[in-house]
Amino acid sequence: MFPQSSVNLRSISLGIILILLSTGFALGQREHVHALDSGIEVTAGDTTLRVEALRDDVLRITEGRGSQMPEASSWAVLADALSARVHVTADRAPTGGGGFHTASLAVVISPDLRLTIRDAAGQVLSQDAAPIQWQDRGFTVAKVKMADDHFFGLGDKPGPLDHAGMSFTMWNTDNFGWQESTDPLYKSIPFFIEFHGGQATGTLLDNTWRTNFDFGHSKPAEYAFGAVGGPATYYFWTGPDPKKVVETYAWLTGKTPLPPMWSLGFQQSRYSYETEAQLMTVANRLRADHIPADALYMDIDYQLKNRPFTVNPAAYPDLRAMMAKLKQDRFHVVMITDLHIANLPNAGYMPYDTGVAGDEFVKMPDGSTYTGKVWPGPAVFPDFTMARVRTWWGGLYKQFVADGASGFWNDMNEPAVFTYPTKTMPDDVQHRIDEPGFARRTASHLEIHNVYGMENSRATYDGVLALRPDERPFVLTRASYAGGQRYSATWTGDNSSTWNHLRMTVPQLENLGLSGFALSGADVGGFAGSPSPELLTKWIEVAAFQPIDRDHAAKGTRDHEPWVDGPQQEAIRRRFIEERYRLMPYLYTVAEEMSRTGLPMMRPLFLEFPHAAKDGHPLDNDATGEFMVGDKLLVAASPSPEEVAPYEVHLPPGEWFNWWTGVSLGVRQAAAARDLELRDAASVQKPLMVTPKLEDLPVYVRAGAIVPIAPLVQSTDDTPQGPLTLRIYVPANGSGAACEGSLYQDDGHSFAFRAGEYLRMRMTCSVGQDGALTVHFSRPEGTFKPWFSELRLEVFGFAGSKPQSSAGVVTAVREGVWSLTLVRPTAETEIVLR
């Protein structure tokens, strides 16, 4: 392995080299090399470059200036990952510098501290274009960019999915009505995936200061990242499969916890339902019109004079009784709790009084408490970098939890402040870091700004969990940082009611999912402005297949609820919301996979099909409206949703079925080059064209998929009546054709699954030489007893005359679709259809 860089044992033993390196053996006048058990450290001039292997495929790279190396601490990276190390094998660098290799990666550092990383086959994965550049307190790291490089991630950046040729800034910013060119936005997630030739690597810049990323914008042959201050620390790892890159990012920064099932249901919100009567009217209408729904949101107008953790008794005279009534009607209430605490001394305002008594608020350099103007007027701000402050904040939820609130919504936590053009607090505000894993010290807001919102949501999550330890918390945050997915779901902030914003929703949510926030959504219908009836309908259709499905609107806009615009529009909207609820067994199974692996629920095509194009480009660059739901469903929204002309659907290679009709579209070929003339000349298959219709949304399912669906309910708290249906899509390639699927169930709200109270069923199918279809059920895992006692198998693509089975009577659903109902297997079982 690595023959070009390995030590020549015929000339000198590895042991002697390690002794020389470990004792500071100098290679050249200015260069100093130290071998580490898990890596290497090289000093040249006033810069030290340290590279350590956390795993065979994960490196931690740190550069220090002068005699100081950055503190080995992180708000983003988990403690177990931060302390992980593997033993490496040192390699000789013939021209000076040094290097090492693991089972997966080879590292070479040149005498001027340029870093090159190769895979086990010798292919260059990452190469410095220049040594690190120091600027004042900041730095820039520049890498060689290949012509076919593509870049994804960075959270909720608007614009195309692929960031190649673009540049971005990370600085959490309240940007009402942001547009396609707006940067920065609410979250700072300094992680990206580099993808070329169907292979992927990951990079996380672990720096909380204002950071910058340039993916060939300034210099087409380079990409670069850096910060205005703070540590030059980043992590690099290889897939090479992009799924593996995402899973490794989750290993570093944490996974999204399994959410309560109700949070996957339809959610209705508005700024604001200003009175209890308004909120109850919406709840009653949803039930009366049989529009499935699970959550209702309360925005800031439920509060007394916009003061967090208060209730306006004139608007909501009996909050607990209202919550009880909504719970009886199977609704869950999510309450907004902004982090700015009204500056109200001697007014009996408990959050302020207890905060002052405990010294919980951020300070100015002179030691006075910082005050800034937000919704309640002058406000003070908790110092979330202290563990004890987060505990105090979490305790503020005690009354709301007792009243029956199911979830909480942390808004304005960039933090947003109205006083300044920067829309946030001054750079010199002081934060007192008192946190396990960190040295106790005071830091300026320049360092803490980008993690402030994440630590707010962390305090909320931990506080609600402490108050209700047997229930999964649901927290929705607007601002966050890398790793924030451990504590909250998110949304894309104050978007607009335009066709362009509907179009941008797909790549924005995909990049959020790739960046850890697998549970995310965009305000359905757009927050700023009033959508046309057609825009609202189409948005509701697309959002029915996205992780968080929340209809939300700003003050002064027309109503967004599904029944507005008349019965024809309402019927279309209801049909897609109903389809989401029928798909709930599949969505919940995908959510459970997300909680174990870190893979997003909503996925770009290249994540599942990295080699879909013959020239290695991501298929998403052709199919800008398409996305995967889990690994089995593909939604093909129009790339220009306001257009009426037919558009081309780009299906990945393989056989696909129309989800709505069950008809096979045949086997699709791998995409050719992006040059359309070359593609069309080489293609023997006509492109799949779709003519847009208001009432339609193309959805496709992979051949070989087994997808669980349920009878329709009006709330996830309802018990479905009837069998669970397994839709089985048999591939058309005859003998040897196979399919697979799984189902996960638990009680949907508690942590009992951790003690084994869950159900996991794995199903496969195969077609034998005699043409018989065998469906195999593995032995179910877990002790949970699900709501269904029967399974209904619906078989698509199984050719021939009417099949027969000893398990029961096979009936025709429609042409080419067969149905068989059987008792739920409780042991390993096989069903044969002939």
Side-chain angles (χ1 to χ4, degrees):
M1 189 181 296
F2 311 113
Q4 294 181 350
S5 60
S6 297
V7 173
N8 186 342
L9 297 180
R10 291 177 297 180
S11 61
I12 188 168
S13 72
L14 175 62
I16 295 174
I17 287 180
L18 291 177
I19 292 171
L20 291 174
L21 295 181
S22 64
T23 56
F25 182 71
L27 299 177
Q29 293 182 346
R30 301 182 60 213
E31 183 186 355
H32 218 66
V33 181
H34 290 270
L36 308 172
D37 183 66
S38 58
I40 193 169
E41 185 175 285
V42 183
T43 300
D46 67 344
T47 298
T48 297
L49 171 58
R50 179 189 299 157
V51 183
E52 295 178 280
L54 308 190
R55 297 188 331 199
D56 283 335
D57 58 342
V58 182
L59 304 175
R60 184 175 192 262
I61 299 122
T62 306
E63 302 203 48
R65 197 175 186 181
S67 60
Q68 296 296 318
M69 292 295 282
E71 178 184 358
S73 58
S74 178
W75 297 102
V77 178
L78 297 172
D80 286 347
L82 197 64
S83 61
R85 297 290 187 276
V86 296
H87 180 75
V88 304
T89 301
D91 296 324
R92 184 178 66 186
T95 59
F100 66 84
H101 69 262
T102 71
S104 302
L105 298 172
V107 170
V108 175
I109 300 174
S110 68
D112 65 350
L113 302 188
R114 297 184 192 220
L115 174 65
T116 300
I117 304 170
R118 292 182 171 89
D119 65 15
Q123 178 181 344
V124 173
L125 301 177
S126 175
Q127 187 172 26
D128 285 352
I132 190 171
Q133 299 296 306
W134 301 107
Q135 306 102 17
D136 192 15
R137 293 185 297 170
F139 63 90
T140 299
V141 174
K143 303 283 186 179
V144 174
K145 177 181 173 294
M146 307 297 289
D148 61 344
D149 268 348
H150 306 272
F151 299 90
F152 307 96
L154 298 187
D156 62 347
K157 297 297 185 183
L161 177 70
D162 187 354
H163 297 321
M166 305 175 71
S167 59
F168 302 91
T169 296
M170 295 292 176
W171 185 252
N172 292 0
T173 304
D174 175 13
N175 254 319
F176 173 81
W178 53 266
Q179 296 303 318
E180 191 161 5
S181 60
T182 305
D183 185 63
L185 286 185
Y186 309 94
K187 284 168 278 294
S188 295
I189 308 178
F191 159 69
F192 64 88
I193 297 172
E194 180 191 3
F195 180 86
H196 68 269
Q199 298 189 343
T201 62
T203 301
L204 167 66
L205 174 59
D206 195 4
N207 183 296
T208 63
W209 295 59
R210 184 189 296 267
T211 56
N212 301 286
F213 295 80
D214 188 321
F215 299 116
H217 183 119
S218 301
K219 297 180 180 180
E222 293 182 11
Y223 68 93
F225 51 87
V228 300
T233 298
Y234 64 100
Y235 296 80
F236 176 88
W237 61 97
T238 180
D241 180 88
K243 271 189 174 181
K244 182 69 179 300
V245 171
V246 174
E247 290 175 332
T248 299
Y249 178 72
W251 175 79
L252 280 166
T253 65
K255 305 175 184 72
T256 300
L258 182 62
M261 186 183 291
W262 65 261
S263 67
L264 300 179
F266 180 69
Q267 306 180 8
Q268 185 61 56
S269 181
R270 182 172 183 83
Y271 174 38
S272 285
Y273 298 124
E274 297 189 7
T275 66
E276 177 181 326
Q278 289 181 7
L279 187 65
M280 294 304 297
T281 296
V282 171
N284 294 336
R285 182 69 183 269
L286 286 165
R287 293 290 179 249
D289 285 15
H290 300 287
I291 299 170
D294 268 86
L296 298 169
Y297 278 66
M298 297 171 63
D299 211 319
I300 62 174
D301 288 301
Y302 79 84
Q303 301 169 142
L304 181 64
K305 299 181 180 179
N306 293 333
R307 298 167 185 169
F309 299 101
T310 66
V311 177
N312 181 354
Y316 286 85
D318 193 338
L319 185 67
R320 179 170 293 197
M322 183 197 75
M323 294 281 195
K325 178 62 170 63
L326 288 171
K327 181 179 181 180
Q328 183 180 355
D329 291 340
R330 296 103 64 218
F331 285 107
H332 298 261
V333 177
V334 181
M335 303 180 72
I336 200 168
T337 51
D338 291 341
L339 52 72
H340 41 255
I341 299 298
N343 191 344
L344 287 175
N346 306 312
Y349 178 42
M350 184 270 291
Y352 177 84
D353 292 342
T354 57
V356 169
D359 191 22
E360 317 287 12
F361 303 124
V362 298
K363 308 289 186 181
M364 293 298 292
D366 64 3
S368 62
T369 299
Y370 168 72
T371 301
K373 184 178 181 182
V374 207
W375 294 120
V380 292
F381 297 80
D383 197 347
F384 292 114
T385 55
M386 292 192 286
R388 66 169 178 80
V389 174
R390 295 197 303 272
T391 300
W392 162 78
W393 172 266
L396 297 178
Y397 288 91
K398 183 177 181 179
Q399 187 61 54
F400 286 162
V401 168
D403 287 339
S406 295
F408 296 97
W409 172 18
N410 292 154
D411 200 357
M412 305 293 288
N413 55 351
E414 290 72 32
V417 180
F418 298 160
T419 309
Y420 320 99
T422 61
K423 302 181 182 179
T424 194
M425 59 178 61
D427 294 344
D428 60 352
V429 165
Q430 303 293 293
H431 300 263
R432 294 158 288 170
I433 297 176
D434 189 357
E435 172 73 13
F438 288 80
R440 292 184 64 179
R441 59 187 175 86
T442 298
S444 74
H445 190 66
L446 281 170
E447 178 180 349
I448 300 302
H449 175 85
N450 282 341
V451 295
Y452 191 74
M454 178 176 80
E455 293 305 294
N456 168 218
S457 61
R458 177 185 183 182
T460 303
Y461 182 92
D462 289 347
V464 173
L465 181 60
L467 291 166
R468 203 162 46 198
D470 296 326
E471 294 289 317
R472 303 173 213 168
F474 176 75
V475 179
L476 186 72
T477 188
R478 190 169 74 176
S480 199
Y481 181 68
Q485 69 272 5
R486 303 189 294 258
Y487 316 115
S488 64
T490 194
W491 86 107
T492 60
D494 296 340
N495 61 354
S496 297
S497 297
T498 67
W499 289 103
N500 191 42
H501 272 248
L502 171 57
R503 179 184 64 81
M504 286 192 291
T505 293
V506 169
Q508 200 167 2
L509 294 182
E510 287 175 324
N511 270 324
L512 271 169
L514 293 173
S515 306
F517 277 91
L519 203 60
S520 58
D523 286 346
V524 174
F527 180 74
S530 298
S532 67
E534 293 75 18
L535 174 57
L536 180 57
T537 294
K538 188 56 67 176
W539 209 317
I540 287 175
E541 291 176 12
V542 176
F545 295 91
Q546 294 172 345
I548 294 292
D549 186 9
R550 184 180 78 143
D551 186 341
H552 188 48
K555 264 186 180 178
T557 63
R558 76 183 191 91
D559 290 345
H560 280 200
E561 290 75 22
W563 51 82
V564 302
D565 308 314
Q568 182 179 4
Q569 300 284 356
E570 181 182 9
I572 299 171
R573 298 165 186 172
R574 181 192 298 110
R575 181 166 67 88
F576 280 88
I577 296 171
E578 288 176 344
E579 194 66 17
R580 181 180 184 88
Y581 277 75
R582 290 189 179 96
L583 272 168
M584 194 58 66
Y586 177 71
L587 294 176
Y588 194 61
T589 299
V590 174
E592 192 274 336
E593 179 192 26
M594 166 196 75
S595 71
R596 284 186 292 108
T597 66
L599 292 173
M601 299 179 67
M602 179 178 172
R603 304 173 185 178
L605 304 187
F606 83 88
L607 197 66
E608 289 294 332
F609 303 93
H611 303 288
K614 291 180 180 178
D615 64 357
H617 79 271
L619 192 58
D620 305 86
N621 285 10
D622 307 325
T624 55
E626 299 179 26
F627 60 92
M628 298 291 296
V629 183
D631 66 348
K632 293 179 171 54
L633 297 183
L634 187 153
V635 178
S638 172
S640 300
E642 73 279 20
E643 294 293 337
V644 297
Y647 65 93
E648 184 175 345
V649 171
H650 299 259
L651 292 177
E655 184 185 3
W656 293 84
F657 288 79
N658 184 311
W659 171 255
W660 306 108
T661 67
V663 174
S664 173
L665 302 175
V667 177
R668 313 302 295 183
Q669 300 171 340
R674 297 198 69 201
D675 185 297
L676 296 183
E677 291 185 6
L678 291 176
R679 185 201 68 181
D680 293 341
S683 177
V684 296
Q685 192 175 63
K686 291 183 179 180
L688 179 62
M689 303 301 296
V690 170
T691 299
K693 295 181 180 178
L694 179 64
E695 67 274 16
D696 290 343
L697 177 67
V699 180
Y700 305 95
V701 57
R702 297 168 77 165
I706 301 178
V707 181
I709 61 173
L712 180 64
V713 294
Q714 294 300 299
S715 164
T716 60
D717 287 346
D718 293 340
T719 300
Q721 301 300 308
L724 177 85
T725 296
L726 298 178
R727 289 187 174 179
I728 302 173
Y729 295 87
V730 182
N733 54 342
S735 177
C739 49
E740 62 82 27
S742 63
L743 171 75
Y744 176 85
Q745 296 261 294
D746 59 26
D747 65 19
H749 63 89
S750 79
F751 293 102
F753 66 90
R754 294 177 176 173
E757 292 185 33
Y758 64 87
L759 170 71
R760 192 187 310 280
M761 293 173 53
R762 292 185 172 90
M763 300 80 68
T764 60
C765 78
S766 60
V767 178
Q769 292 184 354
D770 61 353
L773 174 69
T774 300
V775 182
H776 182 268
F777 296 88
S778 298
R779 182 179 182 85
E781 300 175 22
T783 61
F784 179 72
K785 185 177 181 180
W787 54 266
F788 60 93
S789 59
E790 292 184 322
L791 291 178
R792 182 172 187 251
L793 309 185
E794 287 188 356
V795 183
F796 298 76
F798 189 49
S801 58
K802 179 179 177 180
Q804 296 180 350
S805 174
S806 60
V809 178
V810 180
T811 60
V813 177
R814 52 185 179 271
E815 184 176 356
V817 183
W818 308 101
S819 173
L820 171 66
T821 300
L822 61 145
V823 175
R824 173 174 61 87
T826 57
E828 186 172 355
T829 305
E830 282 192 350
I831 306 296
V832 180
L833 281 74
R834 299 184 184 278

mmCIF file of all heavy atoms in Angstrom, residues 21-42:
data_model
loop_
_atom_site.group_PDB
_atom_site.id
_atom_site.type_symbol
_atom_site.label_atom_id
_atom_site.label_comp_id
_atom_site.label_asym_id
_atom_site.label_seq_id
_atom_site.Cartn_x
_atom_site.Cartn_y
_atom_site.Cartn_z
ATOM 1 N N LEU A 21 12.358 11.533 14.392
ATOM 2 C CA LEU A 21 11.270 12.506 14.244
ATOM 3 C C LEU A 21 10.711 12.908 15.592
ATOM 4 O O LEU A 21 10.418 14.076 15.849
ATOM 5 C CB LEU A 21 10.169 11.922 13.363
ATOM 6 C CG LEU A 21 10.541 11.642 11.902
ATOM 7 C CD1 LEU A 21 9.331 11.096 11.155
ATOM 8 C CD2 LEU A 21 11.059 12.893 11.215
ATOM 9 N N SER A 22 10.523 11.943 16.496
ATOM 10 C CA SER A 22 9.911 12.241 17.783
ATOM 11 C C SER A 22 10.807 13.093 18.663
ATOM 12 O O SER A 22 10.342 13.728 19.602
ATOM 13 C CB SER A 22 9.540 10.945 18.503
ATOM 14 O OG SER A 22 10.706 10.200 18.803
ATOM 15 N N THR A 23 12.083 13.117 18.393
ATOM 16 C CA THR A 23 12.988 13.949 19.187
ATOM 17 C C THR A 23 13.258 15.287 18.541
ATOM 18 O O THR A 23 14.136 16.030 18.961
ATOM 19 C CB THR A 23 14.329 13.226 19.401
ATOM 20 O OG1 THR A 23 14.879 12.880 18.119
ATOM 21 C CG2 THR A 23 14.147 11.964 20.223
ATOM 22 N N GLY A 24 12.485 15.601 17.471
ATOM 23 C CA GLY A 24 12.637 16.908 16.871
ATOM 24 C C GLY A 24 13.731 16.987 15.859
ATOM 25 O O GLY A 24 14.361 18.028 15.692
ATOM 26 N N PHE A 25 14.031 15.903 15.169
ATOM 27 C CA PHE A 25 15.080 15.906 14.149
ATOM 28 C C PHE A 25 14.776 16.932 13.073
ATOM 29 O O PHE A 25 13.698 16.932 12.489
ATOM 30 C CB PHE A 25 15.178 14.504 13.542
ATOM 31 C CG PHE A 25 16.265 14.382 12.502
ATOM 32 C CD1 PHE A 25 17.601 14.410 12.870
ATOM 33 C CD2 PHE A 25 15.938 14.248 11.163
ATOM 34 C CE1 PHE A 25 18.601 14.273 11.914
ATOM 35 C CE2 PHE A 25 16.922 14.122 10.205
ATOM 36 C CZ PHE A 25 18.252 14.137 10.573
ATOM 37 N N ALA A 26 15.682 17.845 12.824
ATOM 38 C CA ALA A 26 15.455 18.940 11.890
ATOM 39 C C ALA A 26 15.748 18.511 10.473
ATOM 40 O O ALA A 26 16.765 17.889 10.206
ATOM 41 C CB ALA A 26 16.327 20.140 12.252
ATOM 42 N N LEU A 27 14.817 18.816 9.553
ATOM 43 C CA LEU A 27 15.005 18.550 8.130
ATOM 44 C C LEU A 27 15.080 19.888 7.424
ATOM 45 O O LEU A 27 14.087 20.446 6.995
ATOM 46 C CB LEU A 27 13.842 17.713 7.580
ATOM 47 C CG LEU A 27 13.647 16.329 8.224
ATOM 48 C CD1 LEU A 27 12.411 15.665 7.633
ATOM 49 C CD2 LEU A 27 14.859 15.458 8.020
ATOM 50 N N GLY A 28 16.285 20.441 7.326
ATOM 51 C CA GLY A 28 16.421 21.774 6.763
ATOM 52 C C GLY A 28 16.569 22.795 7.872
ATOM 53 O O GLY A 28 16.381 22.513 9.049
ATOM 54 N N GLN A 29 16.871 24.004 7.488
ATOM 55 C CA GLN A 29 17.175 25.022 8.479
ATOM 56 C C GLN A 29 15.953 25.497 9.242
ATOM 57 O O GLN A 29 16.044 25.806 10.412
ATOM 58 C CB GLN A 29 17.844 26.209 7.771
ATOM 59 C CG GLN A 29 19.227 25.871 7.200
ATOM 60 C CD GLN A 29 19.872 27.086 6.558
ATOM 61 O OE1 GLN A 29 19.214 28.098 6.307
ATOM 62 N NE2 GLN A 29 21.170 26.995 6.284
ATOM 63 N N ARG A 30 14.791 25.579 8.567
ATOM 64 C CA ARG A 30 13.609 26.166 9.219
ATOM 65 C C ARG A 30 12.535 25.143 9.518
ATOM 66 O O ARG A 30 11.541 25.458 10.126
ATOM 67 C CB ARG A 30 13.027 27.266 8.334
ATOM 68 C CG ARG A 30 13.993 28.406 8.024
ATOM 69 C CD ARG A 30 13.315 29.463 7.179
ATOM 70 N NE ARG A 30 12.169 30.019 7.874
ATOM 71 C CZ ARG A 30 11.056 30.438 7.271
ATOM 72 N NH1 ARG A 30 10.945 30.310 5.972
ATOM 73 N NH2 ARG A 30 10.071 30.953 7.958
ATOM 74 N N GLU A 31 12.738 23.931 9.070
ATOM 75 C CA GLU A 31 11.679 22.926 9.157
ATOM 76 C C GLU A 31 11.926 21.980 10.318
ATOM 77 O O GLU A 31 13.053 21.563 10.570
ATOM 78 C CB GLU A 31 11.653 22.156 7.834
ATOM 79 C CG GLU A 31 10.555 21.112 7.751
ATOM 80 C CD GLU A 31 10.726 20.315 6.475
ATOM 81 O OE1 GLU A 31 11.608 20.650 5.675
ATOM 82 O OE2 GLU A 31 10.006 19.338 6.310
ATOM 83 N N HIS A 32 10.862 21.655 11.045
ATOM 84 C CA HIS A 32 10.974 20.764 12.185
ATOM 85 C C HIS A 32 9.818 19.773 12.118
ATOM 86 O O HIS A 32 8.666 20.171 11.924
ATOM 87 C CB HIS A 32 10.896 21.562 13.482
ATOM 88 C CG HIS A 32 11.818 21.055 14.531
ATOM 89 N ND1 HIS A 32 13.195 21.095 14.428
ATOM 90 C CD2 HIS A 32 11.563 20.472 15.739
ATOM 91 C CE1 HIS A 32 13.744 20.588 15.523
ATOM 92 N NE2 HIS A 32 12.773 20.206 16.332
ATOM 93 N N VAL A 33 10.089 18.481 12.262
ATOM 94 C CA VAL A 33 9.078 17.441 12.100
ATOM 95 C C VAL A 33 8.992 16.613 13.368
ATOM 96 O O VAL A 33 10.020 16.181 13.906
ATOM 97 C CB VAL A 33 9.408 16.525 10.898
ATOM 98 C CG1 VAL A 33 8.336 15.460 10.734
ATOM 99 C CG2 VAL A 33 9.546 17.347 9.633
ATOM 100 N N HIS A 34 7.790 16.381 13.850
ATOM 101 C CA HIS A 34 7.537 15.503 14.984
ATOM 102 C C HIS A 34 6.534 14.444 14.543
ATOM 103 O O HIS A 34 5.455 14.776 14.054
ATOM 104 C CB HIS A 34 6.950 16.260 16.177
ATOM 105 C CG HIS A 34 7.924 17.175 16.847
ATOM 106 N ND1 HIS A 34 8.726 16.779 17.886
ATOM 107 C CD2 HIS A 34 8.226 18.468 16.604
ATOM 108 C CE1 HIS A 34 9.488 17.799 18.273
ATOM 109 N NE2 HIS A 34 9.198 18.843 17.511
ATOM 110 N N ALA A 35 6.882 13.190 14.694
ATOM 111 C CA ALA A 35 5.924 12.120 14.459
ATOM 112 C C ALA A 35 5.050 11.962 15.697
ATOM 113 O O ALA A 35 5.534 12.022 16.830
ATOM 114 C CB ALA A 35 6.636 10.815 14.155
ATOM 115 N N LEU A 36 3.765 11.788 15.468
ATOM 116 C CA LEU A 36 2.806 11.518 16.527
ATOM 117 C C LEU A 36 2.273 10.114 16.321
ATOM 118 O O LEU A 36 2.252 9.600 15.204
ATOM 119 C CB LEU A 36 1.652 12.525 16.492
ATOM 120 C CG LEU A 36 2.028 14.008 16.466
ATOM 121 C CD1 LEU A 36 0.795 14.857 16.227
ATOM 122 C CD2 LEU A 36 2.719 14.397 17.764
ATOM 123 N N ASP A 37 1.809 9.491 17.372
ATOM 124 C CA ASP A 37 1.260 8.147 17.243
ATOM 125 C C ASP A 37 0.087 8.135 16.273
ATOM 126 O O ASP A 37 -0.116 7.161 15.553
ATOM 127 C CB ASP A 37 0.814 7.623 18.606
ATOM 128 C CG ASP A 37 0.307 6.195 18.524
ATOM 129 O OD1 ASP A 37 1.111 5.297 18.219
ATOM 130 O OD2 ASP A 37 -0.902 5.984 18.742
ATOM 131 N N SER A 38 -0.656 9.244 16.230
ATOM 132 C CA SER A 38 -1.840 9.308 15.369
ATOM 133 C C SER A 38 -1.664 10.281 14.213
ATOM 134 O O SER A 38 -2.650 10.629 13.546
ATOM 135 C CB SER A 38 -3.059 9.729 16.192
ATOM 136 O OG SER A 38 -2.836 10.988 16.809
ATOM 137 N N GLY A 39 -0.457 10.755 13.949
ATOM 138 C CA GLY A 39 -0.289 11.700 12.859
ATOM 139 C C GLY A 39 1.089 12.294 12.798
ATOM 140 O O GLY A 39 2.101 11.625 13.065
ATOM 141 N N ILE A 40 1.134 13.597 12.509
ATOM 142 C CA ILE A 40 2.416 14.270 12.325
ATOM 143 C C ILE A 40 2.240 15.752 12.608
ATOM 144 O O ILE A 40 1.143 16.314 12.440
ATOM 145 C CB ILE A 40 2.946 14.058 10.887
ATOM 146 C CG1 ILE A 40 4.404 14.471 10.772
ATOM 147 C CG2 ILE A 40 2.076 14.771 9.866
ATOM 148 C CD1 ILE A 40 5.042 14.029 9.455
ATOM 149 N N GLU A 41 3.335 16.390 13.037
ATOM 150 C CA GLU A 41 3.356 17.834 13.260
ATOM 151 C C GLU A 41 4.624 18.389 12.639
ATOM 152 O O GLU A 41 5.720 17.906 12.912
ATOM 153 C CB GLU A 41 3.304 18.136 14.755
ATOM 154 C CG GLU A 41 3.214 19.604 15.084
ATOM 155 C CD GLU A 41 3.053 19.845 16.572
ATOM 156 O OE1 GLU A 41 1.944 19.613 17.087
ATOM 157 O OE2 GLU A 41 4.049 20.229 17.222
ATOM 158 N N VAL A 42 4.460 19.385 11.763
ATOM 159 C CA VAL A 42 5.594 19.979 11.060
ATOM 160 C C VAL A 42 5.566 21.484 11.296
ATOM 161 O O VAL A 42 4.521 22.123 11.155
ATOM 162 C CB VAL A 42 5.549 19.674 9.554
ATOM 163 C CG1 VAL A 42 6.784 20.247 8.850
ATOM 164 C CG2 VAL A 42 5.458 18.175 9.304
#
